Amino acid sequence: MQFSELWLRSFVSPDLDSDQLGHLLTMAGLEVEEQDGVAAVFSKVVVAQIVEAVNHPIPDKRRDCKVVAGRGELRQNVCGAANAAAGIKIPCALVGADLAGFGIKAAKLRGVESFGMLCSAKELGISDESGGLLVLPEDAPVGTDLRDYLALDDTLFTIKLTPNRADCLSLTGIAREVAALTGSPLSLVACAPVAAAHADTRAIVLDAPEACPRYAGRIIRGVDAKASTPEWMKQRLLRSGIRSISALVDVTNYVMLELGQPLHAFDNAKLAGAIHVRLPQPGEQVLLLNGQTITPAADTLLIADEARALALAGIMGGEDSGITLDTTELFLESAFFAPDAIAGRARAYGFSSDASYRFERGVDFALAGQAIERATRLILDICGGEAGPVVEAVAADKLPARAPIRLRASRVRRVLGIDLSADAVAGMFERLELQVSREGDDFIVTPPSYRFDVEIEEDLIEEIARIHGYDNIPSHAPRGPITMLPRPEAKRDTMSLRRQVAAREYQEVINFAFVEEAWEKDLAGNTNPVRLANPIASQMSVMRSTLIGGLVANVVTNRKRQTTRVRVFEIGRCFAHDAAGQPVDGYDQPVRIAALAAGFAKPEQWGEANRNVDFFDVKADLEALLFPRVAEFERASHPALHPGRSASVKVDGKVVGFIGEVHPVWVQRYELGTAPVVFELDLDVLLQSVTPAYAELSRFPAVTRDLALVVDQQVASGALLAGLQAVAPAIVQRIELFDQYQGKGVEPNRKSLAFRVVMQETQRTLEDTEVDAAMNALTRHAEEALGAKLRG
């Protein structure tokens, strides 16, 4: 909504400058998006009249003009405008004038002296287009300062309104707001009834009263459609962003801007019988004023006569019944259309209009009569003619109800945090023109017909806050005891974990939690994912139960951009049906961490040969994140992973995740290049740690022995190591696997696993008998429990 400050001040003129007024409107919820002057800054430009205009002695399309600019003195000006002619009145920048930093001096052009400059609208910053000199009206007083004559010391405000504030889509509505905010007197335009000069009427039938419960119209005869629109009206329309078309159209646009009521004028000679407000008939078409022929949908409201459809109600008039410069008799309509009957209809046909913009947000349902009287008076004053009586059809039971709202003073204090007196609150409501009565500490408030946004108690509290001023509500910092929360050593926070993963060259990503259904089936084996009721896209129709899909998509995206080495991780929530498997029983929403490495194990360099990342690279990263806790890795299968290169991850005997290469099928299907390696764990496992415990350092030498055991091929080294650690005597400090061998000297389908056993005591040096006994105990357990034998 764009408007002129001077036009607004004709209704209410608070003691505020333009900047203060703009701030006031913004803080009241009418956000000022733009605030600009109507013209550039200039001085010493006056109204002048060309007395004589002749061609320049040297032909170059210039003209020598003699101009009177006040005090009867003739001044000579050389001008290049094609429309320079004797008798017209134009702006003249005198010698010494300043046009936005450009000084005007006396000069000699092609041997002819020129005193000043004749100006176009573009040179004065009034318009972006230049069609020659700016021709002023014939009654413009010569010698008058142009800024005063054209009221150029004006500011254009463009405000951004929320959809609920349709009452401010007019100068009257904005003026009401300013008056309520400042307490300044409000002077609204008078809409006195125009006496009927003839008895001609046209019947009105409301065939769809739910969509149009009020419709008023009158016939005006003998109008001069060719009459000129007054300059003051053209100026106000132009400064509101509407160009002047013709006097009759300009009047309807002017009243719409002034009061907020869209109007429409039909050529009465083109109408047949009564006016019907109805829904369309099958196959019915309407030719609109914009030249578009449409077939209205069944829920589109029409204005029609007895013969045909005339217009889209509340949206746009029809070409067949529109007024022209030859119109002498018109039918002027003013109606209320229910917002639900107009909303979205114009957009459905690919256009919009000022009328539909207002009607779909809500127009004052009591305004139709005032608007038609105001428009009638302006038409008679400008175009002449005789007005007939107003015919109005009303379905009173279909008009919006303005139900009283109870406002509790205690609720105001609780929501706003300030204590306002009852008289102060009543004064605010009075300035807002709300009908108020008191019941103890409660207010019973009835909103006016133009405030569709005031329906519940919270709406009234918002009005109190706006009028009181958001700047006047004190800001209190929250208070509370500042206590350092304990942070146990056995617990890590998520941010420190993020830093630790990033330190191992992984980059964090954040992917959508809703994913493609195929990902869930392929990478999680999930055939019953949590489905979205309203997905934003077809490929984002289900919630993820694993983080792998997003990481795989990250690899695909990077490969398309020729980035082959990818190391990414994500911490996020996954979603699955609960253990019962039914949505009605709730959802499981674990937080997990997943990481993926693809491409070279190390950045390409001269000092190390390139090799692709493998299972053990990522396993080392995972073990470093779990340290000092130790994980067990057991062969396992997973829908996303290679069947022979994947494992489950156990911590404290509980499976907490998995690790492995992406399955070759998915590597090929998703075009991943080399097989990425990925792990996914429950986040809580990585957030837990082990509290450091003191252990005495031994001053005595350690004894190291190697134990090579031959076992069946299917025996996992981890299981053998765990068994040895379980039966190791107290002197054994650690047991580590350092070699695996298959080949000559080892039977087929068997393998040799070599363990390094480190033994030490803190109080004495170990004896050979103790060491031999410990080694025998380990060997015996391996032979009895797993069928191992000592390698010879």
Side-chain angles (χ1 to χ4, degrees):
M1 172 69 184
Q2 179 179 304
F3 63 91
S4 156
E5 181 182 355
L6 290 180
W7 191 3
L8 175 64
R9 289 187 181 275
S10 68
F11 295 104
V12 58
S13 187
D15 188 17
L16 302 172
D17 61 26
S18 299
D19 291 337
Q20 292 171 329
L21 179 59
H23 179 74
L24 177 78
L25 292 172
T26 297
M27 294 308 296
L30 312 181
E31 181 184 352
V32 176
E33 284 191 307
E34 295 183 24
Q35 181 178 329
D36 298 305
V38 300
V41 178
F42 58 82
S43 61
K44 295 189 70 174
V45 179
V46 299
V47 177
Q49 184 172 21
I50 300 177
V51 176
E52 179 183 329
V54 297
N55 291 333
H56 195 71
I58 301 176
D60 62 355
K61 298 184 180 179
R62 300 190 183 190
R63 310 201 76 192
D64 296 339
C65 301
K66 287 187 169 49
V67 175
V68 58
R71 295 180 296 181
E73 299 177 1
L74 281 177
R75 303 168 183 266
Q76 183 164 280
N77 291 82
V78 178
C79 174
N83 65 335
I88 65 172
K89 293 182 178 179
I90 39 79
C92 177
L94 305 177
V95 174
D98 183 2
L99 300 183
F102 178 72
I104 302 299
K105 300 182 293 184
K108 184 174 288 189
L109 301 175
R110 297 291 183 96
V112 179
E113 290 185 325
S114 180
F115 299 93
M117 174 181 171
L118 306 185
C119 303
S120 66
K122 184 175 182 180
E123 290 164 336
L124 296 173
I126 298 174
S127 172
D128 293 332
E129 299 179 0
S130 176
L133 298 177
L134 175 59
V135 179
L136 302 174
E138 296 179 359
D139 59 354
V142 174
T144 303
D145 187 284
L146 188 72
R147 298 196 73 88
D148 294 336
Y149 176 69
L150 295 181
L152 298 180
D153 292 323
D154 192 6
T155 301
L156 299 183
F157 287 99
T158 302
I159 60 175
K160 180 180 180 181
L161 291 172
T162 52
N164 64 323
R165 291 310 307 270
D167 60 298
C168 290
L169 286 171
S170 67
L171 270 295
T172 298
I174 298 171
R176 285 197 195 100
E177 283 290 299
V178 174
L181 292 166
T182 62
S184 301
L186 180 65
S187 177
L188 298 180
V189 65
C191 298
V194 176
H198 63 82
D200 292 351
T201 60
R202 192 171 292 279
I204 297 170
V205 181
L206 301 181
D207 294 317
E210 296 84 2
C212 177
R214 168 168 277 154
Y215 190 99
R218 80 182 331 157
I219 296 173
I220 305 177
R221 300 187 314 195
V223 298
D224 179 11
K226 298 179 182 178
S228 298
T229 303
E231 289 298 321
W232 60 268
M233 183 177 287
K234 285 183 180 179
Q235 183 186 91
R236 289 180 172 180
L237 289 173
L238 181 62
R239 294 181 186 182
S240 298
I242 297 179
R243 64 184 180 90
S244 175
I245 298 175
S246 67
L248 293 175
V249 175
D250 291 348
V251 166
T252 59
N253 286 334
Y254 182 83
V255 174
M256 179 184 68
L257 293 173
E258 184 180 60
L259 300 180
Q261 172 69 53
L263 304 169
H264 187 69
F266 298 96
D267 190 325
N268 192 58
K270 299 176 182 179
L271 305 183
I275 295 296
H276 290 261
V277 186
R278 60 172 175 81
L279 296 174
Q281 299 169 356
E284 191 170 22
Q285 291 187 326
V286 183
L287 174 60
L288 301 177
L289 288 172
N290 62 1
Q292 183 177 351
T293 299
I294 66 168
T295 301
D299 61 349
T300 301
L301 195 65
L302 299 180
I303 307 298
D305 59 10
E306 301 288 354
R308 67 194 187 285
L310 305 174
L312 294 184
I315 299 175
M316 185 174 290
E319 180 69 29
D320 294 338
S321 60
I323 57 175
T324 66
L325 294 180
D326 297 324
T327 298
T328 60
E329 186 175 303
L330 60 89
F331 178 77
L332 183 65
E333 73 160 23
S334 179
F336 169 73
F337 301 109
D340 290 344
I342 306 299
R345 304 306 194 278
R347 291 186 294 276
Y349 299 118
F351 62 88
S352 182
S353 66
D354 290 329
S356 66
Y357 187 83
R358 286 164 170 78
F359 278 124
E360 66 185 4
R361 285 161 174 77
V363 172
D364 183 358
F365 59 84
L367 186 61
Q370 301 176 49
I372 201 169
E373 297 292 356
R374 173 62 171 161
T376 300
R377 174 48 56 199
L378 289 172
I379 290 173
L380 297 182
D381 290 345
I382 297 171
C383 303
E386 297 178 337
V390 175
V391 176
E392 185 177 37
V394 181
D397 59 325
K398 305 297 183 182
L399 290 172
R402 310 309 291 146
I405 305 167
R406 180 177 293 273
L407 174 67
R408 297 162 291 173
S410 59
R411 180 67 174 164
V412 175
R413 288 191 295 269
R414 180 180 176 186
V415 174
L416 299 184
I418 55 177
D419 195 0
L420 296 172
S421 68
D423 291 341
V425 172
M428 294 178 194
F429 288 155
E430 182 180 349
R431 283 151 54 188
L432 286 167
E433 299 183 2
L434 305 177
Q435 298 179 20
V436 184
S437 61
R438 298 283 300 277
E439 288 186 5
D441 290 338
D442 295 352
F443 295 87
I444 308 301
V445 182
T446 303
S449 56
Y450 52 83
R451 290 302 299 269
F452 281 80
D453 60 311
V454 180
E455 296 181 333
I456 58 177
E457 186 178 31
E458 283 72 16
D459 294 332
L460 294 174
I461 296 174
E462 180 186 2
E463 292 303 296
I464 293 173
R466 290 193 320 107
I467 302 304
H468 179 71
Y470 296 117
D471 289 341
N472 296 324
I473 298 177
S475 176
H476 298 293
R479 297 180 179 180
I482 300 178
T483 304
M484 183 69 72
L485 298 176
R487 180 177 173 184
E489 290 185 86
K491 187 75 173 177
R492 289 188 289 189
D493 60 78
T494 307
M495 184 53 67
S496 64
L497 178 62
R498 283 189 170 95
R499 295 192 184 100
Q500 192 174 354
V501 182
R504 301 193 71 83
E505 298 187 71
Y506 290 87
Q507 294 183 335
E508 185 175 15
V509 295
I510 300 176
N511 293 308
F512 282 114
F514 23 88
V515 299
E516 191 170 350
E517 187 172 356
W519 292 4
E520 283 295 297
K521 183 179 178 181
D522 293 346
L523 303 176
N526 185 8
T527 58
N528 184 29
V530 176
R531 299 183 183 278
L532 291 169
N534 55 340
I536 62 174
S538 60
Q539 70 272 21
M540 295 181 175
S541 58
V542 300
M543 302 299 291
R544 66 187 179 190
S545 64
T546 176
L547 303 176
I548 296 179
L551 300 183
V552 168
N554 297 144
V555 175
V556 173
T557 301
N558 278 273
R559 281 182 57 80
K560 289 179 179 178
R561 289 160 177 77
Q562 288 77 50
T563 302
T564 56
R565 186 175 187 268
V566 179
R567 298 173 72 87
V568 290
F569 79 97
E570 181 175 11
I571 297 175
R573 194 174 294 279
C574 296
F575 304 84
H577 298 304
D578 68 355
Q582 298 298 325
V584 295
D585 296 330
Y587 299 93
D588 184 23
Q589 303 181 45
V591 180
R592 295 187 178 138
I593 177 172
L596 179 147
F600 292 146
K602 299 288 184 181
E604 192 170 4
Q605 56 164 306
W606 63 269
E608 185 174 347
N610 291 333
R611 67 174 181 84
N612 290 327
V613 67
D614 60 23
F615 176 93
F616 298 100
D617 292 318
V618 178
K619 178 173 177 284
D621 292 333
L622 178 55
E623 289 177 326
L625 297 178
L626 285 168
F627 184 82
R629 305 176 77 189
V630 178
E632 299 177 45
F633 298 87
E634 293 185 357
R635 183 190 302 271
S637 61
H638 187 279
L641 303 181
H642 192 297
R645 299 177 184 176
S646 59
S648 63
V649 182
K650 278 187 177 181
V651 176
D652 298 332
K654 180 182 177 182
V655 176
V656 296
F658 53 84
I659 181 173
E661 279 188 11
V662 175
H663 199 291
V665 172
W666 313 137
V667 172
Q668 182 177 9
R669 176 172 298 179
Y670 294 106
E671 300 180 359
L672 302 180
T674 58
V677 183
V678 62
F679 71 78
E680 183 172 17
L681 270 72
D682 293 333
L683 181 64
D684 287 342
V685 177
L686 287 174
L687 296 182
Q688 296 173 8
S689 185
V690 177
T691 304
Y694 166 76
E696 182 182 358
L697 292 177
S698 177
R699 294 177 295 171
F700 298 93
V703 179
T704 302
R705 296 286 179 88
D706 291 343
L707 179 63
L709 299 171
V710 178
V711 296
D712 290 337
Q713 182 70 35
Q714 65 268 22
V715 175
S717 61
L720 181 54
L721 177 61
L724 295 175
Q725 291 172 335
V727 300
I731 63 173
V732 177
Q733 300 299 312
R734 64 181 184 274
I735 304 175
E736 298 173 346
L737 174 69
F738 70 89
D739 183 52
Q740 175 178 311
Y741 173 75
Q742 290 175 270
K744 186 177 180 181
V746 178
E747 299 175 12
N749 299 322
R750 290 175 71 83
K751 62 184 176 182
S752 172
L753 300 175
F755 297 92
R756 181 152 292 147
V757 183
V758 179
M759 294 166 281
Q760 191 176 30
E761 265 284 2
T762 60
Q763 303 299 325
R764 60 187 174 83
T765 300
L766 294 176
E767 297 180 0
D768 289 343
T769 55
E770 293 177 284
V771 172
D772 291 341
M775 294 300 295
N776 290 335
L778 295 175
T779 304
R780 187 167 51 254
H781 171 77
E783 291 174 346
E784 295 174 353
L786 297 172
K789 70 176 184 177
L790 195 63
R791 182 179 172 188

